[in-house]
Amino acid sequence: GVDPIFKRSGFIHPLCAPNGEPVTGIHPKDHYHHLGIWHAWVKTKHGKDTPDFWNLKGKTGRVRYAQTIALIKDASGHSFAGFMVRQEHVAYKGAEKRETVVLREVLNIRAKFIGGRNVITYNVTQENVSREALVLPAYRYGGCLAYRAPHDWDKTNSDYLTSEGLDRTNSHQSRAKWVAMSGPTKKGIATLTVLIHPENHDFPQRLRTWPASSNNGAIFFNVVPIQEKPWEIAPGEKIVMKYQLVVSDGKPEKGMNDRRWKTYSKQ
């Protein structure tokens, strides 16, 4: 019964904790376009058009899988695995909704099991392959990594913790080096921690988190490099955003995450 416009490729679900249970949710009834781990730009300007690659209902843009570049694993097949895929950020331009690929992207994912945790490298390279700049006005959300937790994570059983010690009540629009989100699974508490690389644009990057009053305190998270200042991707220009996702059993530990970020930041 849902509009098929909300069908989408180019997202990750399920992302699981070491206990085997998922820490992602897709197509929640309050936001059908939320899809586990994904990313897209929201408020943009491209020539005379204003494509929105995030909100599919408007039918002005979308992100889609285009090609598998490589499947990656170590020689033994046990240490790590991953993939590189090409994705397209497509605008539907003008009254005739002319399809135009604005950004061509390489999404590079590598996953491994280290010290009892699932560790995922999430690197995004976007190139403007169009003839016009993609202008990104300052806006409260949109960017290169977004997350929606399982649908049963709410204000009674889940929370955020940032590198600055902030939580659900005060983390929105703050800056952070890392953000952890924790909640229940069938086999106990699990935590997803997002580490933000210091080479990323506008680091330490600003955050969008939801307060308890939004959708019963559901966990939604977005790293937003254009929340305070506008940005522009010129024709032929490439941008790179780097993140590391760490999925662990149990609640987050600030000291451990501080140490983990220091190690990651030097990679």
Side-chain angles (χ1 to χ4, degrees), residues 15 17 21-25 30 147-160 168 180-186 188-193 210 214-220 247-248 250:
L15 178 63
E21 294 297 311
V23 295
T24 50
D30 54 60
Y147 165 64
R148 185 64 189 258
H151 302 172
D152 61 342
W153 289 23
D154 60 30
K155 62 186 178 182
T156 68
N157 59 20
S158 64
D159 208 346
Y160 307 83
R168 187 193 303 277
M181 292 142 289
S182 58
T185 74
K186 294 179 180 179
I189 300 295
T191 296
L192 168 64
T193 303
W210 277 358
S214 291
N215 301 296
N216 197 36
I219 292 286
F220 163 76
V247 196
S248 54

Side-chain angles (χ1 to χ4, degrees), residues 90-145:
V90 184
Y92 301 104
K93 296 175 67 66
E96 69 276 19
K97 297 295 183 181
R98 183 178 70 260
E99 182 177 300
T100 302
V101 176
V102 178
L103 298 177
R104 187 165 287 128
E105 171 186 293
V106 174
L107 175 62
N108 190 343
I109 299 292
R110 189 166 298 194
K112 47 191 172 182
F113 185 66
I114 304 175
R117 298 171 178 85
N118 293 329
V119 180
I120 300 94
T121 301
Y122 191 100
N123 291 347
V124 179
T125 302
Q126 295 178 346
E127 179 182 5
N128 185 346
V129 295
S130 74
R131 297 179 179 179
E132 299 172 293
L134 181 65
V135 179
L136 306 168
Y139 196 60
R140 66 183 184 273
Y141 69 103
C144 293
L145 193 145

Side-chain angles (χ1 to χ4, degrees), residues 241-252:
M241 291 285 176
K242 303 176 183 179
Y243 304 96
Q244 187 179 85
L245 315 179
V246 181
V247 196
S248 54
D249 296 329
K251 293 184 177 181

Side-chain angles (χ1 to χ4, degrees), residues 191-206:
T191 296
L192 168 64
T193 303
V194 177
L195 310 179
I196 304 170
H197 200 280
E199 293 178 359
N200 289 357
H201 178 75
D202 198 42
F203 178 84
Q205 292 180 310
R206 284 186 176 270

Side-chain angles (χ1 to χ4, degrees), residues 39 78 83 93 186:
H39 56 268
H78 300 293
F83 58 82
K93 296 175 67 66
K186 294 179 180 179

Side-chain angles (χ1 to χ4, degrees), residues 43-57:
K43 188 175 182 179
T44 78
K45 184 177 181 182
H46 188 254
K48 297 180 180 180
D49 299 280
T50 55
D52 182 342
F53 303 97
W54 178 298
N55 293 292
L56 302 176
K57 188 175 182 179

